[in-house]
Amino acid sequence: MSSPLSTAEVMDRLTRRALQVEDFLKACLTAPSIPERLRLAMRYSLLAGGKRLRPALCLSTAELCGLPGEKILPFAAALEFIHTYSLIHDDLPAMDDDDLRRGKPSCHRAFDEATAILAGDALLTDAFGLMASVGESTEEASGPAVPPARVITAIAELVRAAGSSGMVGGQMIDMECTGKSDVSSETLRHLDALKTGAMFRASCVTGGLLAGAAAPCVAALAGYGAALGAAFQIVDDILDATEDTATLGKPAGSDAQMSKTTYPALFGLEQSRELAREAALEAVARLDVFDVSSVRAQAEHAFLKALPPVLLKRIK
Ligand code: GRG
């Protein structure tokens, strides 16, 4: 069994994963057929930093289940394309109307509203080409990187997570709840599970599906991703209420300013911290089913187990 990783080791692995994803992303969106202003806006937001957590989870869970991450880099990058589109649209005046994202002017501030809408639309649409590409046969390679049937299953999983019954649905509920003072804790959990949790869950599950993992392992990855997503959202809510704009790279206190229902608003800071800890522990426990034998899988198992507690260290 793998030994526990220190915070520094987890951060080091995350940084290396982020760089691997960053290199791939930098090589994307170079086709001369893309109108220049659209390309600039897409690359502006895509390459503005970001922790690259969702692709890192996909690559790591694939390796945990025996598939080398290099084989599915385009799929992992697609998760970041979809995440970036959601951030661009979330910042628009019709939604959260935020001027700052990832420490820089939000896309509609750096360009204009119409260009930002199109940049988000294009990132979402182009993500499907990236996902499909890992199941396509190319002339250079002898066959597809991953059997096409697995790729279709993984795409279907991600579509459910990102679409109307997932992230977009969660955003709709979030908007409907904004400004209301009587939002229940069940509604908050539900909207967060859709808005944030669904993409975390899908990032983990798709890694397993692409690797051809057995059903109990895929179910464990789903539980891990959902619990990690819940912990992440609670931490994000706490940070919004306690950190400054410079630290966050986005406007601090915006949840309270917009009268959003958040964990600190409903439960107070101390209980929110406890709920984040519980969710992180649940995530870690879901990894117990894995019986890892290869060195690479052991390393990923240790990383995934150590990640939820490290996430909690972002809150004081
Ligand atoms: C507009 C369709 C649509 C959906 C928006 C993701 C989302 C749904 C809204 C973002 C608003 C928000 C602050 C959500 C809380 C959690 C979250 C997704 C934070 C941002 O993710 P990080 O911290 O960001 O992984 P980086 O910049 O590191 O990629």
Side-chain angles (χ1 to χ4, degrees), residues 49-54 80 83-91 95-96 101-102 162 167-171 174 195-196 199-200 232-233 236-237 250 255 260 314:
K51 296 177 284 299
R52 315 306 190 194
L53 269 178
R54 296 153 190 81
E80 195 64 23
H83 172 57
T84 304
Y85 121 74
S86 79
L87 298 179
I88 295 174
H89 282 194
D90 186 62
D91 290 337
M95 299 223 184
D96 276 5
R101 172 66 67 181
R102 291 173 165 170
M167 180 179 68
V168 177
Q171 180 77 350
D174 191 14
K195 189 182 81 169
T196 308
M199 284 296 286
F200 271 86
F232 184 87
Q233 181 61 60
D236 196 77
D237 283 359
K250 60 180 183 174
D255 290 339
K260 290 222 177 204
R314 298 174 67 210

Side-chain angles (χ1 to χ4, degrees), residues 23 29 64 96 129 158 177 191 220 234 242 250 272 308 311 314:
D23 281 348
L29 306 173
L64 172 68
D96 276 5
L158 186 47
C177 288
L191 88 83
I234 302 170
T242 57
K250 60 180 183 174
S272 299
L311 192 77
R314 298 174 67 210

